[in-house]
């Protein structure tokens, strides 16, 4: 059912723009695309595509700017085996000299369908046992046309016995989610914009679990893993994910999908991922990423974050980040809302749904705020510039990254929206909160099917004022556009806590380290000597103007020995402790390229790790923010139980 019919009469012009897509669909024959994942274990996807065409010049294109990635990383370089035919005869093509994603051809007289074969070499999100298809890897369609106006019908072939999860609607023959061996699954016709937004997860060890029965529309998690035991998720986790669905329902008060599918891979080979879509999300963690509470803490906010994007990022999208095709550059100036507010909401939903505890939420927040506070690049680059420059800052290269700043709009945004939430609570005597803003901003238009409704900065200000009148424009500009040498600590302080440093890591950090470390691993000496160090002593980054910087250490060097002992994490920590309160420097032997030198580190304040400490006698808004809105599921929901 098309829920567009439920949109009320008074609508912003952007709604009308977004809704105008459907009449065009009815008038054209759809492109037919069959994605063949039979060779996915060998890192190849294949496509057979039939494109309606008329005689004369035609330009086809592959996608360049992929929504949600915030950068031009379409797969043009990985596409191979491109062969075009018409009525069985080869049709020559020539790549555009400037736009390398485009193919020019001339459709011969008498040809009404161009058949295209292409392959894509895929090195991420595949393993011997599973694959994720993000459709942009195989798409080919007419250039210079809004992608929402191009109808397309997709079919899928997967290796025999593999299960399939997707938000696409299967039609006709072929059992689902496990298609009959060798069968082709056909999906209902959609448009290129929506197909690109509807990935597939497929795998040999596959489970689909319904979540939160009783909540409409329906929610599922579709899991594929490299080993059979991993995709059969723990009942406790499934209960928490059902809580997540109920909490999001209570928080947002609207939805913008016909059904929602969390797609999840558990694999050390297929790689980490978190990519949002309107009716699903593509999530990847390690093989044991959800095997127990300790492992799941490192990625506690992953599923809540990507789920939240269905509202914030997909349904409501900054005007510059929504372009009519995948060729026009996307503009990231409002990513501190798209990603930053999602970061805030993802973490609080993780706590509200019990994926992490309230105490773990605070511990993780302490690390986030401390890292931002110890990012010296904030002295020259405003947060907004990290958003505007997002597409050139996503390399994650650690070398001097604290002086450059990376994608700080995520975590700066988290602190900004925490600041706004606690301020609304303070101004309203805790009668209102950012939850009220979400219902206005993300629920505009009521419940809808998948839809994109762009917004501007001014709309944010208007909607915040509808919750509590305040000078929100200045509030936002001060935190986003200006140089702020300190991180925004106001949210934590208004929330009844303060940031402190202790000589031991907080409990959440200890849990994550004991479970194998955070993604990226390494030793946390950032707040003491100012180094990011791998387990082997390799220096990832040096804190600008910190003790190690003053001792002229550099990223890429390797610490070989500490105070006369061969390097180990324990030896370095012991040296930091023993230098506390005296004047004896820490003696290092350091390798730089093929040279070795001695370095003295003049640092005497001991180990330092961030934590949040309650300030007695102040309102504990931070605890209110992380309390569930719904009654948490008590008895774990297990698929076995459902069968009984
Ligand atoms: Zn995100």
């Amino acid at each position: 059912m098309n829920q567009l019919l439920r949109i009320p009469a008074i609508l912003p012009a952007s709604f009308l723009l977004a809704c105008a897509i459907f009449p065009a669909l009815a008038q054209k024959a759809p492109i037919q695309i069959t994605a063949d994942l039979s060779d996915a274990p060998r890192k190849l996807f294949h496509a057979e595509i039939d494109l309606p065409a008329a005689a004369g010049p035609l330009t086809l294109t592959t996608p360049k700017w992929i929504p949600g990635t915030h950068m031009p990383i379409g797969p043009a370089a990985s596409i191979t085996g491109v062969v075009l035919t018409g009525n069985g005869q080869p049709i020559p093509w020539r790549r555009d000299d400037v736009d390398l994603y485009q193919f020019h051809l001339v459709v011969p007289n008498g040809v009404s369908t161009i058949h295209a074969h292409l392959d894509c070499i895929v090195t991420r999100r595949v393993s011997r046992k599973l694959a994720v298809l993000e459709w942009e890897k195989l798409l080919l369609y007419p250039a210079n046309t809004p992608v929402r106006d191009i109808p397309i019908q997709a079919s899928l072939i997967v290796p025999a016995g593999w299960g399939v999860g997707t938000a696409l609607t299967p039609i006709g023959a072929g059992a689902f989610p496990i298609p009959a061996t060798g069968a082709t699954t056909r999906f209902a016709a959609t448009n290129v914009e929506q197909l690109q937004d509807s990935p597939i997860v497929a795998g040999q060890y596959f489970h689909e679990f319904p979540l939160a029965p009783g909540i409409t529309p329906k929610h599922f998690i579709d899991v594929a893993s490299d080993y059979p035991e991993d995709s059969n998720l723990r009942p406790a986790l499934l209960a928490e994910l059902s809580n997540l669905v109920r909490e999001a329902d209570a928080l947002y008060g609207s939805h913008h999908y016909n059904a929602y599918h969390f797609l999840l891979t558990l694999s050390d080979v297929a790689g980490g991922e978190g990519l949002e879509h309107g009716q699903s999300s593509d999530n990847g963690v390690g093989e044991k990423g959800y095997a127990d509470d300790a492992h799941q803490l490192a990625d506690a906010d992953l599923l809540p974050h990507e789920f939240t994007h269905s509202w914030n990022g997909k349904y409501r999208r900054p005007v510059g980040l929504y372009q009519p095709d995948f060729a026009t550059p996307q503009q990231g100036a409002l990513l501190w809302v798209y990603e930053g507010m999602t970061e805030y909401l993802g973490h609080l939903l993780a706590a509200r749904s019990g994926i992490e505890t309230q105490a773990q939420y605070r511990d993780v927040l302490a690390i986030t705020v401390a890292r931002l506070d110890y990012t010296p690049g904030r002295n020259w680059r405003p947060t907004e510039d990290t958003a505007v420059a997002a597409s050139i800052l996503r390399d994650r290269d650690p070398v001097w990254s604290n002086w450059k700043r990376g994608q700080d709009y995520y975590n700066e945004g988290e602190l900004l929206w925490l600041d706004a939430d606690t301020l609304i609570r303070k101004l309203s005597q805790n009668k209102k909160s950012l939850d009220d803003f979400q219902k206005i901003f993300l629920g505009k238009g009521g419940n809808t099917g998948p839809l994109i409704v762009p917004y501007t900065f001014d709309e944010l200000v208007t909607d915040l004022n509808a919750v509590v009148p305040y000078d929100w424009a200045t509030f936002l500009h001060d935190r986003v556009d200006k140089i702020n040498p300190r991180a925004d600590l106001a949210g934590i302080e208004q929330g009844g806590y303060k940031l402190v440093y202790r000589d031991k890591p907080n409990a959440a950090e200890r849990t994550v380290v004991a479970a194998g470390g955070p993604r990226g691993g390494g030793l946390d000496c950032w707040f003491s000597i100012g180094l990011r160090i791998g387990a082997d002593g390799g220096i990832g980054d040096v804190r600008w103007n910190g003790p190690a910087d003053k001792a002229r250490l550099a990223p890429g060097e390797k610490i070989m020995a500490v105070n006369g002992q061969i390097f180990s994490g324990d030896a370095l920590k012991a040296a930091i402790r023993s230098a506390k309160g005296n004047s004896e420097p820490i003696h290092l032997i350091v390798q730089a390229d093929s040279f070795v030198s001695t370095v003295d580190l003049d640092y005497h304040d001991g180990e330092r790790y961030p934590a949040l400490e309650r300030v007695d006698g102040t309102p504990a808004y931070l605890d209110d923010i992380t309390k569930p809105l719904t009654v948490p599921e008590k008895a774990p929901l297990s698929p076995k139980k459902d069968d009984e």
Side-chain angles (χ1 to χ4, degrees):
M1 188 177 79
N2 189 341
Q3 305 213 32
L4 286 171
L5 297 175
R6 298 173 61 178
I7 293 176
I10 303 165
L11 293 169
S14 52
F15 265 101
L16 303 175
L17 182 79
C19 297
I21 63 180
F22 292 94
L25 265 182
Q27 294 162 15
K28 292 188 211 161
I31 296 172
Q32 301 285 335
I33 179 170
T34 299
D36 181 356
L37 306 192
S38 302
D39 273 335
R42 301 172 62 230
K43 305 191 192 310
L44 276 176
F45 292 169
H46 311 294
E48 305 295 339
I49 308 170
D50 286 309
L51 299 117
L58 176 64
T59 302
L60 301 175
T61 190
T62 58
K64 181 177 184 182
W65 281 83
I66 308 304
T69 68
H70 317 312
M71 53 195 307
I73 54 157
S78 304
I79 287 176
T80 183
V82 180
V83 177
L84 306 182
T85 55
N87 295 340
Q89 300 302 310
I91 298 178
W93 53 265
R94 190 180 191 285
R95 193 182 297 273
D96 189 86
D97 286 299
V98 175
D99 185 334
L100 305 182
Y101 292 74
Q102 291 189 354
F103 299 84
H104 299 297
L105 60 143
V106 176
V107 181
N109 286 329
V111 169
S112 58
T113 302
I114 300 292
H115 182 81
H117 170 93
L118 59 87
D119 309 309
C120 189
I121 301 165
V122 182
T123 54
R124 290 193 71 254
R125 313 296 291 129
V126 291
S127 72
R128 299 298 296 184
K129 301 295 182 185
L130 60 85
V132 174
L133 169 63
E134 295 278 4
W135 285 93
E136 65 268 13
K137 293 196 161 49
L138 297 176
L139 281 173
L140 188 68
Y141 51 90
N144 310 313
T145 308
V147 285
R148 60 175 179 254
D149 291 346
I150 305 174
I152 190 164
Q153 175 155 38
S155 300
L156 176 74
I157 300 167
V158 297
W162 282 28
V164 175
T166 178
L168 292 170
T169 308
I171 53 171
F176 203 67
I178 312 286
T181 300
T184 300
T185 304
R186 294 182 76 228
F187 299 104
T190 181
N191 59 50
V192 167
E193 182 173 82
Q194 282 299 316
L195 184 65
Q196 189 282 327
D197 200 39
S198 306
I200 304 271
V201 65
Q204 180 174 342
Y205 305 120
F206 177 86
H207 280 89
E208 180 176 83
F209 302 95
L211 298 173
I215 296 280
T216 50
K218 290 183 174 168
H219 299 74
F220 304 90
I221 183 161
D222 300 285
V223 195
S225 61
D226 281 343
Y227 296 95
E229 63 273 19
D230 295 320
S231 57
N232 192 15
L233 298 181
R234 292 174 298 129
L237 174 61
L238 291 170
E240 288 156 7
L241 296 176
S242 285
N243 290 340
L244 169 60
V245 169
R246 279 188 282 270
E247 285 296 324
D249 187 60
L251 171 58
Y252 302 134
S254 68
H255 54 78
H256 310 288
Y257 42 81
N258 298 322
Y260 190 88
H261 290 254
F262 295 91
L263 311 180
L264 174 66
T265 61
L266 300 167
S267 167
D268 290 350
V269 177
E273 184 60 279
L275 185 58
E276 62 273 23
H277 297 281
Q279 306 201 91
S280 60
S281 49
D282 171 11
N283 306 281
V285 298
E287 234 167 77
K288 301 299 174 194
Y290 287 112
D292 53 53
D293 286 347
H295 280 88
Q296 93 184 28
L297 182 56
D299 282 310
D301 72 316
L302 174 65
L303 296 172
H305 177 110
E306 304 307 340
F307 187 32
T308 291
H309 269 316
S310 176
W311 290 263
N312 184 41
K314 286 294 163 181
Y315 176 58
R316 300 313 316 272
R317 195 172 308 174
V319 69
L321 279 167
Y322 185 39
Q323 301 299 344
D325 53 33
F326 303 134
T328 310
Q330 295 172 11
Q331 298 164 35
L334 287 172
L335 276 169
W336 52 273
V337 191
Y338 182 122
E339 292 294 359
M341 192 165 76
T342 301
E343 192 73 6
Y344 176 63
L345 295 168
H347 280 289
L348 77 80
L349 279 174
R352 286 183 187 178
S353 56
I355 298 172
E356 65 186 9
T357 65
Q358 285 186 310
Q360 287 169 337
Y361 169 89
R362 292 194 302 271
D363 283 353
V364 172
L365 180 61
I367 295 167
T368 298
V369 65
R371 283 185 183 157
L372 290 177
D373 211 27
Y374 276 74
T375 299
R378 59 186 315 118
N379 288 293
W380 72 269
R381 193 197 276 273
T383 293
E384 186 186 42
D385 190 59
T386 70
V388 171
S391 66
I392 56 170
L393 288 176
R394 288 180 79 88
D395 59 14
R396 297 177 193 234
D397 185 349
V399 177
W400 293 117
S401 61
N402 74 102
W403 182 231
K404 183 174 82 171
R405 296 192 86 176
Q407 304 168 63
D408 289 1
Y409 52 86
Y410 280 86
N411 290 332
E412 293 283 355
E414 182 182 9
L415 295 190
L416 178 154
W417 292 106
L418 172 64
D419 188 353
D421 198 346
T422 52
L423 180 59
I424 291 169
R425 288 169 194 261
K426 193 167 118 184
L427 292 170
S428 68
Q429 285 77 48
N430 212 16
K431 301 247 177 352
K432 296 282 178 74
S433 72
L434 202 66
D435 292 9
D436 298 288
F437 170 76
Q438 305 307 348
K439 288 182 182 68
I440 298 169
F441 178 63
L442 302 177
K444 223 165 273 181
N447 295 328
T448 73
L451 193 64
I452 302 165
V453 182
Y455 64 85
T456 62
F457 179 91
D458 290 348
E459 189 184 335
L460 293 173
V461 172
T462 302
D463 289 355
L464 283 165
N465 271 309
V467 180
V468 172
Y470 190 71
D471 186 358
W472 289 109
T474 302
F475 174 94
L476 297 174
H477 282 306
D478 281 352
R479 283 152 185 78
V480 175
D481 319 347
K482 297 223 166 108
I483 297 285
N484 290 300
R486 297 293 307 274
D488 183 1
L489 295 163
I492 287 166
E493 286 159 6
Q494 286 164 171
Y497 285 81
K498 67 178 176 187
L499 177 66
V500 297
Y501 291 87
R502 296 181 176 143
D503 60 6
K504 286 190 176 52
N506 66 45
E509 190 174 357
R510 289 200 305 273
T511 301
V512 169
V513 169
R519 280 180 292 182
L523 194 66
D524 186 1
C525 302
W526 194 247
F527 309 106
S528 54
I529 56 176
L531 283 180
R532 224 158 252 148
I533 311 176
D536 64 349
I539 297 175
D541 200 13
V542 178
R543 176 155 58 79
W544 185 261
N545 216 20
D549 183 25
K550 288 175 179 159
R552 309 293 296 163
L553 285 169
E557 293 177 347
K558 187 172 175 183
I559 301 176
M560 301 175 70
V562 183
N563 285 353
Q565 287 183 36
I566 290 293
F567 172 85
S568 70
D570 287 343
L572 182 60
K573 285 183 191 171
I576 292 170
R577 285 194 296 272
S578 73
K580 186 176 181 180
N582 60 55
S583 58
E584 184 65 19
I586 301 164
H587 303 289
L588 305 176
I589 297 176
V590 175
Q591 178 185 354
D593 304 333
S594 54
F595 305 97
V596 171
S597 59
T598 59
V599 173
D600 282 352
L601 254 182
D602 200 18
Y603 172 77
H604 306 284
D605 288 331
E607 291 187 84
R608 294 178 80 240
Y609 302 96
L612 297 190
E613 201 168 273
R614 178 81 179 99
V615 179
D616 291 332
T618 60
Y621 293 146
L622 211 53
D623 299 347
D624 296 340
I625 284 169
T626 46
K627 257 182 215 142
L629 302 177
T630 64
V631 180
E633 194 162 289
K634 291 282 195 302
L637 173 79
S638 84
K640 278 187 191 135
K641 216 169 185 178
D642 286 342
D643 292 339
E644 282 164 8

